[in-house]
Amino acid sequence: MAAPEFLLEGRGLTVTYGNGVRAVSDVDLTVRHGEIVGLVGESGCGKSSLANTVLRMVKPQSGTLSFNGKDLLAMHGDELKAVRRSLQVVPQDPSTSLNPRLTIAQSVEFNLKVHGWGRRERRARVMEMLDRVGIPASYSTRYPHQLSGGQLQRVAIARALVTDPSLVVCDEAVSALDKSVQAQILNLLAQLQRDLDVAFLFVSHDLTVVEHVSDRVLVMYLGRIVEEGPATEILTAPRHPYTQALLASIPTRGQQRAAIHGEPPSPVNPPSGCGFRTRCPYAVDACAGYDNTPHAVGPDHAARCVRLDDLALTAPQAWRNS
Amino acid sequence: MSTFSKTRPPLLETTRPTADQTVLRVTDLTTGFRRGATTTEVVRGVSFDLRAGRTLVLLGESGCGKSVTARSLMRLTPERAVIGGSVQLGDEELLTLPLADVVRRRGKRIALVPQDPAGALSPLRKIGSQVSEVLRVHGIVGTRQERTGRTLELLDRVGIPDPQRVAGSYAHELSGGMRQRVAIAIAVACDPEVLIADEPTTALDVTVQAQILELFQDLQARLGMATLLVTHDVGVAERMADEIAVMYAGRIVESGLAETVLSAPRHPYTAALLRALPVPGVRRGELQPIPGQPSAPSERPAGCPFRTRCDFQHDACSEYEPPLFVTDVATHAACDLMRPSQQAVG
């Protein structure tokens, strides 16, 4: 059988929680081999629920999800564990995700142990991976509290990559870091992707960060992907009013008015039709009846908006000149 | 119960410092934390002026001392903190005033908008009572009825769409953006001369952040308070600042008019910080991170604290810690390269 086109392919994913919150609505999500896909949205938009669905930590109500051509949702026990070797995660806050009682080398090694690597092989792999993420060998016996946030995040990345995964989910992996350190980690991720040909699903609320690392970007609002396309296009030629508003909200010099007002509606009781229409400056009556079918606006570029044809959106011009 | 019948001061027009007048002058502020016999200095000789109607942004990364600076001004530091230098609010020296008198000025003449309004608001009391408490404590409005009216006015003023309902709500019933609006309402309730905002939008989503920043600008235009905005976000600094002071390792390393500092940075740290940011439209792999990380207060290198991460390090850097020199673009930068004799050499 030929390798499937997509490493990860989710179709019609819907996640509803017991309290009536529909966190993810009918989402299609694909990641190709070696591709970095950015998932951007504000708090409560469902991006973490979607990431957790991919990681099999949340079970979707409906939809299909396949990884490497196999049905991820049908897997259990040993089979699921075996897949997790190729499907790893870098969590948001490394200071709580690393065991404070293990040295960092032990933490990285633990992931190999779980997946059945032999003792001798483990040691060499751990040191190689720590080296790859820029942690000096002399640090391997240190404990998490002896490292800075940036170093801890490097360790968390080493731990994820040590099992030689084909997809790594990064959930707000640089959000807790200072900007100068964030740049180091972003460069590291790009480097690792080139060297190891690993794919990333990069989840973040920060559009500039997502755009910077990603090949393709998905913009999520109220449980739906409202726009997806090549990173540069999303940034320079946004087609969905929400994407445009996100861009226009990034603070810059000379900015006066907020791009949009109000806050996202409750996912317990979302508005009919387009979820963004209650805040959208371009909303018309037809938006309430919109069936949320995506419309292609270019190769690999689609948006869910009823007014795609008559809106001429522009990217904000006031980008920092540097 | 107070029986004073105060004439209600007008909401907007009080006797205020005229625009650009210095309202708060900070000179050589030094804050250290005692631990056993040693004191670790986290703010070291910081000086700046806050002017009416103007915003000074204190920009820096975690641990640089920016929040401790902000809190030291109001003496909101833990007991083991040792604060030196001078903080003059009008003609009063806040650092030598009895603490009880400083407390009386908090919220009235100098107010704080915290980073995390969820933590700053009481979970047990309704929003309305928390806003009117400030008015009561500072004796601004006499009767309960007047206070209620003023509370609703304040909530309306900060852009809360349904003041009546919000006044009757608890903090947990509000979104992060709404809670921050309430915190701002409390801060401006007494028309303070100085407003200190410590990372006021860091916990908010970007679209809501834009709304809150707009609110700050509107309030400042209407009320003319001097604002100190503490942030780590260069974008927020760009948008809000009249003047910028960049902090590193407890000191201001560069300061001046915002536009000049951001377009013509003269301290290598400021320049490096600006280069490290992802710029929309510039592709990956081109970020230029600052190597290493700031050293802890206890392990600072001798001389310039940035020298170990600096591209321009030279012998003189380890010999002394440069003071703020006047630069060629009329800003101030604490770098040996800006030493007058160095500049002459070019």
Side-chain angles (χ1 to χ4, degrees), chain A residues 211-283:
Chain A
E211 187 263 349
H212 191 83
V213 292
S214 308
D215 300 308
R216 209 147 52 79
V217 170
L218 313 182
V219 181
M220 202 165 176
Y221 187 83
L222 206 64
R224 287 185 201 278
I225 307 292
V226 294
E227 181 164 6
E228 67 173 290
T232 342
E233 262 183 57
I234 291 282
L235 205 99
T236 53
R239 296 299 302 273
H240 194 284
Y242 178 63
T243 314
Q244 208 258 350
L246 266 186
L247 289 169
S249 297
I250 300 170
T252 54
R253 194 180 309 163
Q255 200 172 41
Q256 290 295 321
R257 300 281 135 210
I260 48 172
H261 294 278
E263 290 167 44
S266 156
V268 178
N269 191 14
S272 64
C274 170
F276 186 56
R277 69 182 168 85
T278 53
R279 298 171 79 196
C280 182
Y282 308 104

Side-chain angles (χ1 to χ4, degrees), chain B residues 256-289:
Chain B
L257 287 177
E259 243 180 78
T260 320
V261 169
L262 292 168
S263 60
R266 287 296 183 260
H267 194 286
Y269 173 65
T270 315
L273 190 62
L274 294 174
R275 274 200 310 272
L277 299 175
V279 178
V282 178
R283 293 302 297 149
R284 89 166 79 126
E286 295 164 36
L287 286 184
Q288 299 172 44

